Amino acid sequence: MSLSRILIVDDEPRMIRSVERVLCQDYKTATTRSSREAITIANGFKPDLAILDVQMPELDGFDLAEQLRAIDPEVDVIFMTGSIHELDSKLIRAVRKDAFYFLQKPFDRELLLALVDRCLKLKRLDRENRRHLHRLEKELADAVQLGLHLCHEVDGV
């Protein structure tokens, strides 16, 4: 099984190193301090999850999340912020932007690991469920076709 890919974007080098150090053992990571560069990276890296700082100089985390989802609508996002100003409004905005979670810096290592693991597990289960549903729909369509074929044969006899 291939490692899940996580894009980490924060304009603080120490924060990038901290998040990467926690995740690099179990996941393939790509990092950048530039939200604009993150878009270029995402095109080739194809992240399963993006961990984004809310406040960055070029694009804020919310705008970046929208651009990443334009590339891949299924990318999940965890937002992070170190700002205590307007924390509630940022949390509400994160929820409205369909964020998987919202972390305040400094983050707890175990919480970050648990969130990433949960997010990626739910993503895997969703993919499996969609594949299973697609297979069931195909089998149902095949059964309907067989039933129609049998009805035509009976009518023709």
Side-chain angles (χ1 to χ4, degrees), residues 142-156:
D142 291 347
V144 167
Q145 288 299 317
L146 178 61
L148 289 173
H149 179 71
L150 292 175
C151 285
H152 290 302
E153 282 186 8
V154 168
D155 288 341

Side-chain angles (χ1 to χ4, degrees), residues 9-77:
V9 186
D10 197 308
D11 58 328
E12 298 175 36
R14 285 189 352 239
M15 188 54 59
I16 287 178
R17 282 192 304 274
S18 295
V19 175
E20 188 175 33
R21 192 175 17 244
V22 170
L23 300 177
C24 72
Q25 298 282 323
D26 300 314
Y27 306 100
K28 187 173 183 180
T29 59
T31 64
T32 182
R33 294 177 54 200
S34 164
S35 50
R36 296 234 185 256
E37 184 181 28
I39 297 163
T40 303
I41 292 171
N43 276 308
F45 185 64
K46 309 268 188 253
D48 299 297
L49 171 65
I51 299 175
L52 310 176
D53 184 18
V54 170
Q55 292 180 313
M56 291 184 286
E58 300 163 324
L59 291 172
D60 71 15
F62 299 114
D63 292 336
L64 176 56
E66 284 181 25
Q67 293 204 19
L68 293 175
R69 286 189 174 130
I71 296 167
D72 178 2
E74 294 188 19
V75 69
D76 280 310
V77 175

Side-chain angles (χ1 to χ4, degrees), residues 78-106:
I78 294 175
F79 289 112
M80 294 189 306
T81 188
S83 170
I84 58 170
H85 304 292
E86 302 174 14
L87 186 60
D88 290 341
S89 64
K90 289 177 184 172
L91 174 59
I92 291 166
R93 188 171 176 198
V95 170
R96 286 189 176 140
K97 295 287 185 179
D98 293 326
F100 183 79
Y101 203 82
F102 184 88
L103 280 173
Q104 188 167 5
K105 299 175 197 176

Side-chain angles (χ1 to χ4, degrees), residues 106-121:
F107 62 88
D108 178 82
R109 179 186 194 287
E110 293 303 315
L111 177 60
L112 178 63
L113 281 170
L115 287 171
V116 168
D117 182 57
R118 172 67 74 132
C119 178
L120 295 171
K121 180 179 180 180

Side-chain angles (χ1 to χ4, degrees), residues 133-150:
L133 179 60
H134 180 70
R135 185 178 53 83
L136 290 175
E137 288 171 342
K138 184 181 179 327
E139 288 175 6
L140 179 59
D142 291 347
V144 167
Q145 288 299 317
L146 178 61
L148 289 173
H149 179 71
L150 292 175

